[in-house]
Amino acid sequence: MSEPTLVVSKIRAGTVIDHIPAGRALDVLKIIGLSGREGIRTAIIMNVESKKLGRKDIIKVEGKFLKQQEVSVIALIASTATINIVEDFKVVKKFNVEIPELIEEVITCPNTTCITNKGNEPVKSRFTVVSRKPITLQCSYCGTLVFEDELHRLIKV
Amino acid sequence: MSSSFMGRDVISILDFKRDELEKLFELSDKARRLVNRKLRILEGKVVSLAFFEPSTRTRMSFEVAAKKLGADVVGFSSEESVSVAKGENFADTVRMLDSYSDLIVVRHRLEGAAKFASEIALNPVINGGDGRQHHPTQAMIDLYTVRELFGGIDGLTYAVVGDLRYGRAATSFIYALTLFKPSKIYLASPPILVARPEVTSLLKSRGIDFEELSRLDEVVGEVDVMYVTRVQRERFPDPSEYEKARGAYRITLKLLEKAKRSLKILHPLPKVDEIELQVDSSRHAAYFLQASLGVPVRMALLAMILGGEL
């Protein structure tokens, strides 16, 4: 007997983030700055079947058209994600995510004695990309290297 | 005079190119000849020394260098003496100093503080040491000392010894060597004080031949320049581990029996007991010369940044 299908209605207009690695949807929402308190209709679908990934997560955001530069940082934790811009129930634009050269305010520096962790200072965390595969970032202030496997726990809330 | 230094921040030694450092060294030669004179080339300029963390050597040599060039010097030497103790943030303190002076030298216990200061200040900022990360002017002095002793920096075998994890002088010296062509760099440290990943990955990416060691005695005969730093007790959770490490990285006359006659020992100072006292008067000790070169190198740097003709 096959598993019952999870049905989530299509959105009329907005953004669908597809092919998120299973279990990462909530982290993706954090990165794009959606807390759920903005009043935007959002569907979060987790751990569903995927031909490409085996299991995947999907996020559907009604009425919000995310721009490529807004979502590119998702690539830090979900490099397989695809972004679909939907208008009148149809996908009108589709793009992949790619890590930007400079990553600001998305990740907390793991070095506790980095100036960006001091508090009460007008300083943003800032990382540059040292390597894309595997991902390695470097803090622009203290030089600390951040490796791919630590990224998910360093995302700022 | 190199225009590339005018108005420039000095945050990391890695911000500099080899030829820029060579120009600085040429001007340092000139500053050494003038070091006993009171010059007026920075007359009317004010240098702020913002030492949020204690320092004797760096702060005093900057002060002497600035005064010898005719600049006025203001500043403080601990957080307690400024409004930071009242809760003022770092950014506001830097803004205030920036409005009072033409250049700020910053030392702070947090990594990245000097870079952050340079983003706030309109005038140039020199990093006088930020946490465990950078101490670029120390590295300039260290390289200048090697050049003075050997006539150049390339082709020599270096050993950097001691605390390579938390020591900013050792880290900056290693970074500085990547701008030149060392024959080989040995990194000798206790296992818990090995060089940080960003340091070793830079050495790899720049194709520098290096080797991490936990024993120094096996390679001492190959080394031309030994850069010694202090292994601090507070870095070790277990006191017996500290005692072991202290013994293994202590520079003694006995260890130096295996060394080349021409081996020179550098140390950013202050030293405690990591170098046996008798070594001070040996042919190998170069750390007092190194310390004495702090003033002329910093004179040259200040003159180049503030546009004074030496």
Side-chain angles (χ1 to χ4, degrees):
Chain A
M1 198 177 83
S2 62
E3 287 181 33
T5 312
L6 180 65
V7 181
V8 179
S9 60
K10 287 187 172 182
I11 55 170
R12 173 184 290 279
T15 307
V16 176
I17 307 173
D18 200 356
H19 300 110
I20 301 167
R24 295 276 170 90
L26 298 175
D27 291 333
V28 168
L29 279 174
K30 264 203 260 178
I31 286 184
I32 57 177
L34 285 179
S35 68
R37 290 185 289 273
E38 298 82 2
I40 297 169
R41 288 182 73 199
T42 306
I44 305 162
I45 305 139
M46 297 181 75
N47 298 307
V48 292
E49 293 70 24
S50 161
K51 278 184 201 149
K52 213 160 103 180
L53 303 174
R55 297 256 165 192
K56 67 174 179 180
D57 292 358
I58 307 167
I59 298 170
K60 299 186 178 193
V61 189
E62 181 87 58
K64 191 168 169 73
F65 301 96
L66 294 169
K67 293 189 186 71
Q68 193 148 6
Q69 71 198 76
E70 281 180 281
V71 290
S72 56
V73 282
I74 292 172
L76 289 174
I77 55 155
S79 59
T80 51
T82 51
I83 314 294
N84 301 288
I85 304 297
V86 177
E87 278 174 26
D88 202 19
F89 297 107
K90 289 194 189 85
V91 174
V92 293
K93 195 176 168 194
K94 195 166 185 162
F95 51 87
N96 297 318
V97 290
E98 198 180 325
I99 304 170
E101 287 297 323
L102 199 67
I103 297 140
E104 273 194 335
E105 275 303 80
V106 177
I107 293 166
T108 302
C109 182
N111 171 20
T112 52
T113 54
C114 175
I115 188 74
T116 60
N117 287 322
K118 182 171 177 275
N120 193 32
E121 299 289 350
V123 59
K124 292 177 179 175
S125 80
R126 190 189 301 155
F127 289 83
T128 52
V129 178
V130 177
S131 151
R132 289 177 183 274
K133 262 186 190 172
I135 301 170
T136 308
L137 309 179
Q138 184 161 35
C139 174
S140 303
Y141 289 93
C142 73
T144 298
L145 293 179
V146 174
F147 301 98
E148 191 161 338
D149 58 352
E150 349 172 46
L151 283 171
H152 64 280
R153 63 180 175 82
L154 297 173
I155 293 164
K156 287 193 175 185
V157 182
Chain B
M1 172 100 37
S2 167
S3 59
S4 73
F5 278 77
M6 263 291 270
R8 181 169 183 175
D9 298 314
V10 179
I11 305 304
S12 160
I13 194 73
L14 294 172
D15 298 339
F16 291 84
K17 294 192 189 81
R18 177 190 176 120
D19 62 334
E20 291 174 326
L21 292 175
E22 281 165 352
K23 274 182 193 141
L24 173 76
F25 299 154
E26 282 166 27
L27 206 67
S28 302
D29 289 340
K30 206 167 172 187
R32 277 172 81 187
R33 293 194 290 273
L34 300 169
V35 80
N36 292 323
R37 288 180 32 201
K38 171 88 178 169
L39 305 169
R40 304 177 71 169
I41 62 171
L42 293 186
E43 200 163 46
K45 303 280 187 191
V46 177
V47 171
S48 278
L49 302 180
F51 280 67
F52 293 84
E53 197 185 54
S55 156
T56 313
R57 234 157 299 269
T58 305
R59 185 176 56 81
M60 285 186 66
S61 68
F62 263 115
E63 183 164 352
V64 171
K67 286 182 171 169
K68 279 186 180 290
L69 296 171
D72 290 310
V73 179
V74 295
F76 53 85
S77 52
S78 74
E79 284 196 350
E80 287 71 37
S81 57
V82 281
S83 302
V84 172
K86 298 176 190 165
E88 183 179 55
N89 70 5
F90 177 69
D92 288 359
T93 310
V94 170
R95 269 188 206 104
M96 172 199 72
L97 291 171
D98 190 38
S99 69
Y100 296 166
S101 55
D102 300 282
L103 180 146
I104 309 173
V105 183
V106 177
R107 170 171 288 189
H108 201 283
R109 68 180 180 84
L110 297 178
E111 292 89 37
K115 181 177 170 64
F116 178 42
S118 74
E119 291 169 353
I120 296 165
L122 299 173
N123 289 306
V125 169
I126 297 179
N127 188 356
D130 64 326
R132 66 189 186 192
Q133 190 180 206
H134 294 301
H135 197 349
T137 61
Q138 180 67 51
M140 289 167 178
I141 294 158
D142 300 340
L143 291 180
Y144 182 68
T145 308
V146 174
R147 173 187 178 269
E148 173 71 18
L149 294 165
F150 292 88
I153 294 153
D154 296 334
L156 300 171
T157 297
Y158 295 81
V160 189
V161 184
D163 183 352
L164 310 186
R165 182 171 172 78
Y166 300 100
R168 59 185 162 220
T171 300
S172 283
F173 184 65
I174 298 166
Y175 282 154
L177 290 177
T178 69
L179 305 170
F180 290 82
K181 292 175 185 152
S183 172
K184 181 153 187 164
I185 307 176
Y186 288 107
L187 305 177
S189 67
I192 67 163
L193 298 177
V194 294
R196 298 188 302 277
E198 65 264 28
V199 178
T200 48
S201 76
L202 184 81
L203 288 170
K204 281 180 204 154
S205 72
R206 296 203 167 172
I208 305 282
D209 184 8
F210 76 101
E211 190 178 332
E212 296 185 275
L213 305 168
S214 55
R215 289 181 66 106
L216 181 61
D217 50 355
E218 287 165 8
V219 300
V220 72
E222 293 174 43
V223 175
D224 299 301
V225 178
M226 191 185 284
Y227 193 94
V228 182
T229 60
R230 187 152 50 105
V231 172
Q232 294 180 64
R233 185 188 296 268
E234 55 267 34
R235 304 290 184 210
F236 290 80
D238 180 350
S240 67
E241 284 297 311
Y242 165 71
E243 288 305 325
K244 262 196 276 175
R246 193 172 65 143
Y249 301 97
R250 192 150 189 262
I251 310 304
T252 59
L253 285 180
K254 185 161 174 42
L255 175 80
L256 296 174
E257 282 171 10
K258 300 178 196 164
K260 290 183 184 176
R261 272 177 68 82
S262 56
L263 166 81
K264 295 294 178 193
I265 302 170
L266 269 62
H267 191 304
L269 304 182
K271 63 183 175 68
V272 183
D273 57 1
E274 57 275 28
I275 298 177
E276 193 179 44
L277 216 53
Q278 287 80 348
V279 176
D280 288 0
S281 51
S282 75
R283 66 172 69 246
H284 303 298
Y287 29 88
F288 298 124
L289 167 74
Q290 179 190 6
S292 74
L293 298 175
V295 169
V297 173
R298 288 182 170 121
M299 280 172 75
L301 183 67
L302 288 172
M304 288 168 96
I305 293 173
L306 290 172
E309 189 84 37
L310 261 181

